[in-house]
Amino acid sequence: MDRMDDRGSSTAEFAVLLPAIALMLSLLLCLGVLGMRQIQVQQAAGAMARELARGDDTGAARARGIQLAGTSARYTVGNGGGYATVTVAKSVDLPVVGAVEVRGTARVANEK
């Protein structure tokens, strides 16, 4: 084999770059999951705050939040100063990063 022969060099380069590419794709997937969960908790907080602002009871609003964000989320409900305020927090376990908490808050003026 000649020293100037570069057969197999692209295979070696691919083998060196493959772990970096896999890590980048994994991080991209984790960011996508994190974004979806953030939207989920924000929508749950908004729906709960709207229900409370209309005058529904806390149990009905919490049921709506559980429907949208799940039972593993934590819900904080406040109704004072003419506003219904809801915060929904949820822990997301990402395979590469670990546990990350996403939080959504909504504040809606009471209709009554």
Side-chain angles (χ1 to χ4, degrees):
M1 186 166 8
D2 188 11
R3 291 187 82 168
M4 300 300 286
D5 188 13
D6 59 356
R7 286 182 290 167
S9 63
S10 62
T11 303
E13 291 168 1
F14 180 73
V16 168
L17 289 176
L18 186 61
I21 292 171
L23 181 64
M24 294 280 286
L25 289 175
S26 296
L27 287 175
L28 186 63
L29 180 65
C30 288
L31 286 175
V33 168
L34 196 62
M36 286 183 350
R37 296 295 183 248
Q38 175 64 42
I39 291 170
Q40 185 182 46
V41 296
Q42 187 62 47
Q43 285 180 342
M48 288 176 68
R50 283 189 301 273
E51 288 199 19
L52 289 173
R54 283 194 307 249
D56 291 349
D57 65 340
T58 306
R62 188 173 299 271
R64 181 69 174 148
I66 289 172
Q67 182 183 15
L68 292 171
T71 57
S72 63
R74 293 181 314 280
Y75 305 95
T76 306
V77 176
N79 203 350
Y83 289 93
T85 305
V86 176
T87 301
V88 179
K90 188 173 190 176
S91 181
V92 180
D93 291 323
L94 300 176
V96 175
V97 181
V100 177
E101 183 175 276
V102 292
R103 182 180 305 252
T105 302
R107 187 172 181 194
V108 178
N110 290 330
E111 293 181 7
K112 291 184 178 184

